[in-house]
Amino acid sequence: MREYLRNVYRRHIAGRGEHRVWAAEWWKYDEAVIRLEALWRAWEHLHQDPATGMSVWWRDHADHHMAILLDPQNGPFGPVDGEHDRNTPGAPLPYLAPRDCCRNG
C-alpha cells in the first residue's frame, strides 16, 4: 500500500460528503486490511501473466475493491474526515505510517 498502490491508484479525496473517502490510517480498519491483502495476493499471482494478467487485476480486483473502500456511504471509511485523510488532485492516496513501524526512517 505505502510503496505501490497508493501511488498508482491516485484519486482525489476531498473530505466527508464528497465523492470518495479514504483513511490515511487505513491499517486501523479490519475490512480495509483484508481487502488490501486480497489485492496484494491477486497482484502477486496475476502480474506474472504477461498476456492479460494486469488487465484482469485492474478490472476484477483493484477497481472492485477500491470502489468499495472509497465509497463514502457503504465503505469502511465512511465516518473518516480528518485533514490528514484528504489529498489534492493527482496526489497519492493519504497515508500515515503506523507509529511503531517506522521509527528509523
Side-chain angles (χ1 to χ4, degrees):
M1 182 61 211
R2 177 175 51 95
E3 295 177 12
Y4 183 73
L5 188 60
R6 71 179 287 262
N7 291 301
V8 298
Y9 208 94
R10 294 175 184 233
R11 300 294 187 271
H12 182 215
I13 310 296
R16 188 74 188 124
E18 296 296 326
H19 184 63
R20 299 176 191 95
V21 293
W22 183 258
E25 296 177 313
W26 58 267
W27 39 266
K28 289 184 174 182
Y29 297 80
D30 292 340
E31 180 182 351
V33 170
I34 293 167
R35 286 183 180 278
L36 292 167
E37 175 72 18
L39 280 177
W40 176 251
R41 290 180 186 200
W43 163 264
E44 283 297 310
H45 177 74
L46 289 167
H47 86 276
Q48 296 177 47
D49 175 355
T52 60
M54 292 307 303
S55 180
V56 170
W57 182 79
W58 279 105
R59 183 195 67 211
D60 294 350
H61 300 279
D63 288 340
H64 170 77
H65 288 293
M66 293 303 289
I68 292 169
L69 290 171
L70 294 166
D71 185 332
Q73 302 302 316
N74 299 306
F77 306 136
V80 170
D81 191 25
E83 191 63 34
H84 59 273
D85 299 311
R86 301 175 188 172
N87 69 1
T88 57
L93 292 174
Y95 175 75
L96 292 175
R99 288 170 184 49
D100 59 350
C101 90
C102 304
R103 290 182 213 189
N104 295 328

